[in-house]
Amino acid sequence: LPFKKKMHFNYRQWLIILFYLASSTKVRKVYPFVLSSCFLRKKPSFVHSNNLPTTVVWIEEAEDGFVDEDENLEKGEVCLKVLKAFANPGGRFLSAGALVKRPSSSVCDAWIADALPEDDSQAIVGPNLVFKGARQILDALFLFHLQQNNNSDDETSIIGALQTFVLQCGASIESECTCASFMAGQSRGFRPLKDQIRSDSIYVPSLYENNLEGFVFDVTDGKDLYYGNNSSLRNDSSKSNDNSAVANDISLLLPNEETIQRFTTKRYRYSNGD
């Protein structure tokens, strides 16, 4: 990973990094030892056992009052959808997310965070599960927003839907309460808004009223991540828990390359020699 400075990660964060690397087809070809060397030191054959229980990750609508209007929302904000992710056995709470519309604006923030263990029994939830739960929540909120704001008769509407969806999941992998959520956003092609408005993209700073915190969907690179995910999962029922149906619906809504180029703002960068 191209870290620019020395970072210190705890055990949970390293597991998430390794899972993220191992989940990439390109990286697996280069680093086939990532999982085997770190997790299967004594019995490499264990992973091939047919007796391993299947872990299911799913999401549900959160209970009423989970997001408190007085304590969790700013004046004028509207909570549009709230989700929680769980895993069996026992319905272990993994992560939660809420889609919140900004006051007097069409911009919506998708707030996603990892669930902190309340006791020692919950502490055994692996980072891979939290990552999967956070990504399912992200996909569900993203799809909901795109469907609510897309008009099939107007190709500009899908551009507007992408521009008004901002992911809020912490600033880096170092955050204890958003570590897995941050990696989920990275795996789906969400990049810092500050970077997107400085490069050639569909994003314009005036839409965000000087609030440039968060991540937006890199429509050029992110499309490949959704399409690539679906091509490997579409005919594999054993991976149905990875939210492939929702990812497929998202990929069908994303604009084509011609539309992207038409709405891309070109930003000129000058070198010292110019």
Side-chain angles (χ1 to χ4, degrees):
L1 292 176
F3 294 120
K4 294 183 179 180
K5 62 179 181 179
K6 186 176 181 181
M7 295 184 180
H8 300 281
F9 303 120
N10 60 35
Y11 177 70
R12 179 169 174 265
Q13 291 169 332
W14 274 119
L15 290 180
I16 292 176
I17 294 173
L18 292 174
F19 172 78
Y20 178 65
L21 289 174
S23 66
S24 169
T25 302
K26 294 181 179 179
V27 175
R28 279 201 302 269
K29 293 179 180 179
V30 181
Y31 302 106
F33 58 84
V34 168
L35 287 181
S36 60
S37 64
C38 294
F39 299 104
L40 308 176
R41 295 176 181 174
K42 295 183 179 180
K43 296 182 179 180
S45 61
F46 176 77
V47 74
H48 302 295
S49 173
N50 293 325
N51 297 323
L52 288 175
T54 301
T55 300
V56 178
V57 176
W58 73 93
I59 58 176
E60 298 177 359
E61 294 277 353
E63 65 275 13
D64 292 340
F66 182 75
V67 174
D68 187 274
E69 184 174 344
D70 295 326
E71 294 186 6
N72 303 125
L73 299 179
E74 299 290 339
K75 183 178 180 180
E77 289 183 334
V78 179
C79 186
L80 303 176
K81 196 174 188 65
V82 189
L83 298 172
K84 298 172 76 173
F86 302 90
N88 72 338
R92 292 170 290 177
F93 182 30
L94 302 177
S95 55
L99 186 64
V100 179
K101 186 175 180 295
R102 295 182 184 179
S104 304
S105 173
S106 57
V107 177
C108 294
D109 292 296
W111 296 89
I112 304 178
D114 311 341
L116 297 177
E118 297 179 356
D119 51 48
D120 292 340
S121 63
Q122 286 187 297
I124 63 174
V125 176
N128 292 359
L129 292 181
V130 182
F131 171 86
K132 290 181 179 180
R135 191 162 69 169
Q136 285 199 23
I137 290 176
L138 170 58
D139 286 347
L141 294 180
F142 192 30
L143 178 61
F144 175 81
H145 181 79
L146 295 181
Q147 290 175 333
Q148 293 295 309
N149 294 276
N150 180 51
N151 181 353
S152 59
D153 296 327
D154 181 8
E155 65 178 8
T156 64
S157 64
I158 189 61
I159 298 296
L162 291 170
Q163 291 173 330
T164 54
F165 185 89
V166 181
L167 174 62
Q168 305 287 354
C169 59
S172 72
I173 196 175
E174 295 183 89
S175 174
E176 181 181 359
C177 61
T178 57
C179 180
S181 299
F182 174 82
M183 292 305 297
Q186 295 295 297
S187 74
R188 286 308 199 199
F190 283 82
R191 303 294 180 252
L193 174 57
K194 292 178 180 179
D195 293 344
Q196 289 294 301
I197 64 170
R198 295 189 184 106
S199 59
D200 297 345
S201 74
I202 64 172
Y203 300 98
V204 291
S206 59
L207 184 63
Y208 309 99
E209 299 179 351
N210 298 320
N211 183 359
L212 303 180
E213 299 300 322
F215 302 81
V216 290
F217 185 66
D218 185 338
V219 67
T220 301
D221 296 334
K223 277 179 50 175
D224 294 336
L225 293 174
Y226 273 104
Y227 287 141
N229 178 273
N230 296 327
S231 63
S232 63
L233 296 178
R234 193 171 291 121
N235 298 317
D236 189 349
S237 60
S238 67
K239 296 183 179 180
S240 59
N241 294 332
D242 202 28
N243 215 31
S244 58
V246 176
N248 181 65
D249 289 342
I250 291 173
S251 69
L252 295 176
L253 289 172
L254 296 177
N256 57 39
E257 191 62 32
E258 180 182 350
T259 302
I260 294 172
Q261 291 302 318
R262 192 177 325 125
F263 290 93
T264 293
T265 299
K266 299 293 183 181
R267 296 177 172 101
Y268 299 96
R269 294 169 293 277
Y270 298 95
S271 64
N272 294 331
D274 291 336

